[in-house]
């Protein structure tokens, strides 16, 4: 028996996605609670890192097996999920997912700004979008996609907003670093903040890319399809 | 004219409108003709005013910036690249370009988010209704129940089958239940009682195991043999039932020397 | 996309075990309910036989993959189950025993008699067990392991008992014929009744050995461990 297999069996059977912390606790508690199962003692001391590594290996194995499902980490929680191709049958099986209405364009835009630039104040969002964001921010808070995560060190101590755990779940992201082009977009913040006069040179080569990225969202979709 | 009205409704703010105008020029943002852009923007905003559209405030603020840019009669942006000695930071042109670039990036990012949202909707997380542990083999349940006996028999059968397969020989299946009934009775005639597990020790073939077990069951059923246990989980022991309890005497086959 | 993969995704996501009939119905209904998904039409006409064959192939594939779980058919219903080795952790995960309390010894015995000899009356059970079975039979009925399945053609028309669908599930059996040595054991009744003295031709040199009977019950256990 391997740690990997045990973790697989647990995630496979769990009725909710499991974090590495929860998995580790379960490994530690099992021999305590079931002293009659001495073989479980061996895995009691597995570190979070070892658990994480095992899960990552498992995910790779499952991807390679190319089945109708895969092991995914969403918002730090591990779960088995089916691949999108099979959605029609599952929709008929379990019914359409009970989801609130899709997010509007302004909401998505504001959410993108918050996601990449968090923590961020309302006025900073408005500066980027060029319009007031009051209503949109309220909607996003109500939908639990963002939350107040502090106060800015500025006059009036405006609230700082950041994304929630549910944000990651809603978009199926493992962590914020998995946001598309996260490295570029999240870094810009630092550059602008620390060296505002610096980026006139740097902007140019990047701009070419950005500009060519026409607004066809299908292009990315197609690439995704190839992965399947 | 009516198309403008439609357009205004689509623009979510001055940045949105600006980006639209840049796209119309079909050049890189940094190469955009800012003066032309400013002119077009102001025209749109004027039109908005005429049409008396709401939410024009933000557009008007931007329009004043555009007018300032226009009034400076800027050189084409491309010629300004690298010429950052007079402090790009305060230059409204650069400020505007930077904002446009940033805005476009986030617009693209929001498209990505939308794509993720749609994709995520097609993904179903496994949520088993109950924890589906493989049912344990019956032999692992209570010891010394008939089901456990059956489980034990099954294991024996498998072991014998494995042994046969390993040897590559097939033992001819000649054992009959009646013979085994006789054999068990004989053995119980010599010893007072017999443990269940002892019954199968010398058994060599699947057929023989089955015959022995069935003989045992039948003897119990006919009450010629009694099975007892000292305790709930104890080994089953068998002995010949007192004669008066026996119901049927099966026809005795010819005894065989052993 | 293959039928096999679709079935896998369904069984994988379903909250309850799925019968081939249910799966076939789902395949048929999906294009009806979701006319926007034309690709689902292709599988609408899959026969029960095709579904069954696909599931059997899947089960073989999963066995070969040798993961911590497998695809099993229990009581005619297909589901993914984790292998018994991982039961301790899963037990702690749900915070309770995964099953109702074990059946008592008399209950198991009576159940065995019913399983192999059904349909059977109470007095026939008592004849075999040598004690009254009233309480036990009631328990078994309450646990939905057995049920009344008719009346015997005998004085007083006593009730006949048989095992239920849940019995199969509880013991992880696909059908009654899967009971260990079921073919022989269930036939015995007939054989004995029709030709009890038929086979006296030959006797066994083996009995000598049988007599030496060491009583080591651990032998079987050891072999069990080897299997794991």
């Amino acid at each position: 028996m391997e740690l990997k297999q045990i973790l697989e069996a647990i995630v496979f059977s769990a009725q909710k996605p499991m974090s590495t912390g929860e998995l580790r606790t379960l490994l530690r508690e099992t021999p305590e609670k079931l002293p009659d199962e001495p073989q479980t003692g061996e895995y009691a001391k597995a570190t979070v890192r070892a658990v994480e590594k095992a899960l990552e290996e498992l995910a790779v194995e499952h991807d390679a097996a190319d089945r109708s499902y895969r092991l995914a980490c969403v918002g730090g929680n591990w779960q088995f999920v089916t691949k999108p191709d099979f959605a029609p049958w599952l929709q008929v099986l379990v019914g359409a997912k009970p989801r609130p209405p899709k997010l509007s364009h302004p909401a998505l835009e504001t959410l993108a700004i918050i996601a990449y630039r968090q923590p961020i104040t309302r006025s900073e969002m408005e500066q980027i979008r060029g319009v007031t964001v009051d209503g949109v921010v309220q909607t996003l808070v109500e939908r639990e996609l963002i939350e107040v995560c502090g106060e800015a060190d500025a006059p009036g101590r405006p609230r700082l907003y950041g994304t929630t755990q549910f944000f990651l779940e809603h978009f199926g992201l493992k962590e914020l670093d998995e946001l598309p082009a996260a490295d570029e977009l999240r870094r810009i913040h630092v550059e602008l903040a620390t060296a505002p006069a610096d980026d006139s040179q740097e902007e140019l080569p990047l701009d070419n890319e950005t500009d060519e990225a026409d607004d066809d969202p299908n292009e990315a979709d197609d690439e995704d399809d190839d992965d399947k | 004219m009516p198309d403008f009205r439609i357009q205004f409704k689509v623009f979510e703010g001055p940045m949105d409108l600006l980006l639209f105008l840049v796209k119309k020029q079909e050049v890189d943002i940094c190469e955009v003709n800012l003066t032309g852009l400013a002119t077009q923007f102001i025209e749109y905003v004027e039109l908005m005013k005429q049409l008396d559209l709401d939410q024009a405030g933000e557009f008007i603020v931007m329009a004043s910036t555009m007018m300032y840019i226009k009034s400076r009669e800027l050189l084409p942006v491309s010629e300004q690249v690298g010429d950052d000695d007079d402090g790009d930071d305060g230059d409204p042109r650069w400020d505007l370009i930077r904002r446009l670039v940033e805005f476009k990036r986030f617009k693209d990012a929001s498209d990505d988010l939308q794509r993720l949202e749609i994709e995520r909707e097609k993904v179903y997380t496994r949520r088993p209704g109950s924890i589906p542990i493989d049912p344990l083999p019956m032999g692992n349940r209570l010891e010394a129940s008939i089901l456990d006996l059956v489980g034990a028999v099954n294991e024996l059968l498998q072991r014998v089958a494995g042994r046969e397969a390993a040897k590559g020989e097939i033992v001819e299946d000649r054992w009959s239940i009646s013979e085994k009934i006789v054999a068990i009775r004989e053995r119980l005639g010599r010893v007072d009682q017999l443990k269940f597990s002892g019954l199968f020790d010398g058994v060599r073939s699947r057929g023989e195991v089955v015959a022995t077990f069935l003989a045992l069951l039948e003897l119990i059923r006919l009450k010629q043999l009694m099975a007892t246990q000292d305790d709930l989980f104890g080994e089953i022991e068998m002995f010949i039932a007192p004669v008066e309890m026996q119901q049927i005497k099966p026809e005795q086959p010819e005894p065989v020397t052993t």
Side-chain angles (χ1 to χ4, degrees), chain A, chain B:
Chain A
M1 204 149 40
E2 274 184 81
L3 176 62
K4 227 163 43 173
Q5 292 180 291
I6 298 166
L7 294 170
E8 184 184 67
I10 298 169
V11 174
F12 191 82
S13 306
Q15 284 161 308
K16 67 171 200 64
M18 298 289 284
S19 71
T20 45
E22 288 169 324
L23 288 166
R24 211 192 76 87
T25 305
L26 183 56
L27 289 171
R28 198 187 56 232
E29 287 181 350
T30 298
E32 291 167 12
K33 292 195 177 168
L34 299 178
D36 292 345
E37 309 276 0
Q39 83 282 14
T40 63
E42 192 182 332
Y43 308 97
K45 298 219 184 299
T47 62
V48 165
R49 183 67 207 117
V51 168
E52 209 157 289
K53 187 163 160 286
L55 287 163
E56 273 156 16
E57 282 174 26
L58 271 178
V60 170
E61 283 176 24
H62 279 281
D63 281 344
D66 195 25
R67 304 220 67 94
S68 60
Y69 55 87
R70 61 190 191 85
L71 180 60
C73 180
V74 174
N77 294 315
W78 292 84
Q79 54 191 293
F80 278 99
V81 297
T82 53
K83 294 185 180 168
D85 294 350
F86 308 98
W89 292 276
L90 303 179
Q91 191 180 327
V92 173
L93 174 70
V94 301
K97 290 192 179 180
R99 276 179 179 275
K102 288 215 179 90
L103 292 166
S104 69
H105 261 286
L108 273 172
E109 254 177 56
T110 311
L111 188 54
I113 293 167
I114 298 167
Y116 287 98
R117 294 292 167 82
Q118 57 189 298
I120 183 172
T121 63
R122 219 176 272 215
S123 70
E124 286 169 314
M125 300 175 211
E126 288 176 351
Q127 214 184 333
I128 296 173
R129 285 202 62 224
V131 290
T132 57
V133 294
D134 290 7
V136 172
V137 165
Q138 199 188 327
T139 306
L140 293 173
V141 169
E142 277 165 14
R143 298 271 302 255
E144 292 180 28
L145 290 161
I146 63 167
E147 64 193 352
V148 175
C149 59
E151 283 179 355
D153 193 16
R157 304 203 65 78
R159 289 173 177 172
L160 286 166
Y161 291 88
T163 54
T164 59
Q165 169 74 17
F166 178 70
F167 166 82
L168 296 174
E169 283 162 27
H170 185 82
F171 293 98
L173 297 165
K174 182 175 179 178
E175 50 197 6
L176 282 176
D177 284 344
E178 252 199 7
L179 280 167
D183 37 345
E184 284 174 31
L185 274 168
R186 296 184 74 192
R187 203 174 50 226
I188 284 175
H189 187 52
V190 182
E191 278 174 7
L192 284 174
T194 56
D198 246 352
D199 39 7
S200 45
Q201 309 103 307
E202 290 188 12
E203 210 110 292
L204 288 171
L206 288 171
D207 278 344
N208 280 330
E209 290 173 40
T210 338
D211 215 38
E212 268 154 34
D214 62 23
D215 326 327
D216 183 8
N218 294 324
E219 198 174 299
D221 281 340
D222 290 343
E223 297 210 351
D224 258 10
D225 288 339
D226 291 342
D227 290 340
K228 282 163 202 163
Chain B
M1 293 298 265
D3 355 340
F4 285 149
R5 182 182 262 276
I6 293 163
Q7 297 280 12
F8 283 134
K9 290 200 170 174
V10 175
F11 297 130
E12 282 150 18
M15 297 303 289
D16 217 20
L17 172 54
L18 272 178
L19 201 60
F20 171 78
L21 295 174
V22 169
K23 267 181 203 150
K24 269 178 57 178
Q25 289 194 11
E26 291 182 328
V27 291
D28 187 282
I29 292 183
C30 293
E31 320 244 314
V32 83
N33 179 338
L34 272 179
T35 315
L37 190 68
T39 309
Q40 283 178 318
F41 186 91
I42 292 159
E43 281 171 9
Y44 269 82
V45 173
E46 284 304 315
L47 192 69
M48 279 176 91
K49 280 184 191 161
Q50 287 169 28
L51 293 171
D52 202 18
L53 290 173
D54 291 341
Q55 298 168 332
E58 291 143 347
F59 287 87
I60 292 163
V61 172
M62 179 63 78
S64 67
T65 307
M66 300 310 284
M67 272 189 267
Y68 175 60
I69 288 170
K70 211 178 152 190
S71 73
R72 283 182 53 166
E73 294 180 327
L74 292 170
L75 290 166
V77 173
S78 53
E79 295 184 18
Q80 297 286 325
V81 174
D83 179 19
D84 47 356
D85 42 44
D86 57 343
D88 288 340
D89 217 22
D91 188 329
R93 296 165 302 165
W94 277 114
D95 189 48
L96 183 68
I97 295 283
R98 199 155 49 216
R99 285 185 63 191
L100 266 176
V101 166
E102 195 176 42
F103 180 73
K104 176 157 188 350
R105 282 192 168 163
F106 282 114
K107 229 173 150 48
D108 292 342
S110 72
D111 287 340
D112 284 335
L113 281 183
Q114 190 170 41
R115 180 177 53 77
L116 288 174
E117 190 182 35
I118 292 167
E119 199 79 333
R120 175 69 174 160
E121 202 145 308
K122 293 186 193 158
V123 165
Y124 287 77
T125 300
R126 179 180 153 82
R127 289 228 164 83
S130 59
I131 297 237
I133 300 178
D134 206 352
L136 299 172
M138 283 184 283
N140 286 3
R141 290 173 188 274
L142 289 181
E143 245 181 281
S145 71
I146 288 197
L147 269 185
D148 292 321
L149 301 191
V150 168
V153 166
N154 201 35
E155 280 167 19
L156 279 166
L157 289 175
Q158 284 171 0
R159 208 190 312 168
V160 167
R163 224 182 277 153
E164 282 171 358
K167 281 189 201 154
E169 68 180 63
I170 294 160
V171 178
E172 206 184 339
D173 193 1
R174 300 206 145 173
W175 311 107
S176 76
I177 297 161
S178 308
E179 286 165 353
K180 282 296 180 190
I181 288 176
V182 174
I184 292 169
R185 287 181 58 83
E186 262 185 20
R187 288 178 61 184
L188 283 169
R190 289 198 297 269
V191 292
D192 287 343
Q193 49 188 13
L194 193 58
K195 289 192 176 173
F196 172 78
S197 53
L199 269 181
F200 297 94
D201 286 331
V203 167
R204 286 189 185 161
S205 75
R206 178 187 164 89
E208 192 182 355
V209 171
V210 171
T212 305
F213 182 66
L214 294 184
L216 178 68
L217 274 188
E218 199 56 18
L219 282 168
I220 295 173
R221 193 176 75 85
L222 296 176
K223 298 193 178 170
Q224 299 197 0
L225 186 141
M226 288 181 67
T228 60
Q229 277 176 299
D230 290 341
D231 58 83
L232 195 60
F233 305 109
E235 169 103 29
I236 286 200
E237 298 188 330
M238 285 151 300
F239 55 91
I240 298 276
V243 179
E244 63 274 15
M245 278 183 66
Q246 299 184 12
Q247 292 180 320
I248 315 158
K249 292 228 174 206
E251 225 171 307
Q252 298 261 333
E254 284 299 310
V256 180
T257 50
T258 56

